[in-house]
Amino acid sequence: MSSKKSTSSRTSRQSHRSTLSLTRTEIIINVYDLLPPGRLSSVLWTVGASLLHSGVVINGKEYAYGGHERRGVTGVYWTQPGTEPAGGTFRTEILQGFTFATQAEIDAIVRRASLDFDGSAYNILTRNCNHFTSHLCQRLTGRPGPAWLNRAASIGVAFPCVVPRDWIEPPDFETAEGELLQDDDDDDRYEDSDADAHESSRMLRPETRRTLAASGHEDQSSGTAKGKQKGIPRDSSGRRLPASERAPLAGR
């Protein structure tokens, strides 16, 4: 009789573990080097001080954060996993951990994170894509992303003069693939509940190629210095946004 109970208990535990394994979701961090391939980037990567971009991969979508100048609009967007940002090179994939949250719960967490990371609040040194990655990983797995992802930004905060000019003064116009989690006219669609968060993920428009910083093109063509300055995307401290760190916006 005791043997039968033991066998039944073991079967029940195995069944429970099997059920859990079917519902857990991998949380992966993709890391990209923003410096051109070469000796300098190799050395900085080796010592853990590279200029990096990162995104969080969840169920076939890579979520990242970028800047723009539209107040009240999230800077969080998604792309196909492994899509390299402008000027970036894929470096590595990190298995951050797992979440046992349902899809609706995951969507709600991502949605809340997107509300916390407004695109106009982006700052190259103090609130960048790696800060978002750490925040989202904390919410999903209970552990923030690796601290070394933002080591270069930390150095830049302490010693602003060491931030490379090429990184903070990129070309004025670039293209990137991605889709914001919301647009200006989508605000009323979202409610802070699991069910509506799951619904919002299905309402995302198909991924398209967006032209970044296109809104200032007419001003630049006018030939005035003021117009040219107006068309340059900048972070919350007035630094020019790197092409790799600009959130994709619809050209409307």
Side-chain angles (χ1 to χ4, degrees), residues 65-75 118-122 172 180 184 212-217 219-220 227-241 245-249:
Y65 173 56
H68 56 67
E69 296 179 318
R70 295 186 184 178
R71 294 187 180 279
V73 179
T74 184
D118 190 284
S120 63
Y122 181 95
D172 288 340
L180 281 181
D184 292 340
L212 305 185
S215 60
H217 185 63
D219 293 319
Q220 291 189 10
K228 289 182 180 180
Q229 289 296 319
K230 185 178 179 180
I232 300 173
R234 297 182 180 276
D235 74 359
S236 61
S237 292
R239 302 182 190 88
R240 294 177 65 179
L241 279 173
E245 296 301 291
R246 300 178 195 172
L249 288 172

Side-chain angles (χ1 to χ4, degrees), residues 126-178:
T126 61
R127 193 170 183 79
N128 59 40
C129 59
N130 299 316
H131 291 101
F132 169 75
T133 291
S134 186
H135 174 86
L136 187 56
C137 286
Q138 177 74 58
R139 296 292 303 275
L140 290 168
T141 69
R143 295 188 301 117
W148 54 264
L149 287 177
N150 242 348
R151 189 167 294 156
S154 298
I155 294 172
V157 170
F159 307 102
C161 59
V162 305
V163 179
R165 180 176 179 179
D166 288 345
W167 195 55
I168 63 175
E169 295 190 4
D172 288 340
F173 300 98
E174 293 287 348
T175 58
E177 292 183 355

Side-chain angles (χ1 to χ4, degrees), residues 60-126:
K61 288 184 178 179
E62 183 170 330
Y63 296 92
Y65 173 56
H68 56 67
E69 296 179 318
R70 295 186 184 178
R71 294 187 180 279
V73 179
T74 184
V76 177
Y77 62 96
W78 63 269
T79 64
Q80 293 296 326
T83 301
E84 294 180 338
T89 304
F90 178 81
R91 272 293 191 179
T92 190
E93 174 185 286
I94 303 168
L95 177 59
Q96 173 69 7
F98 300 89
T99 179
F100 291 96
T102 65
Q103 184 60 54
E105 291 169 339
I106 291 173
D107 287 345
I109 289 171
V110 173
R111 171 63 187 150
R112 292 186 191 109
S114 74
L115 295 176
D116 291 338
F117 283 80
D118 190 284
S120 63
Y122 181 95
N123 188 287
I124 291 172
L125 300 181
T126 61

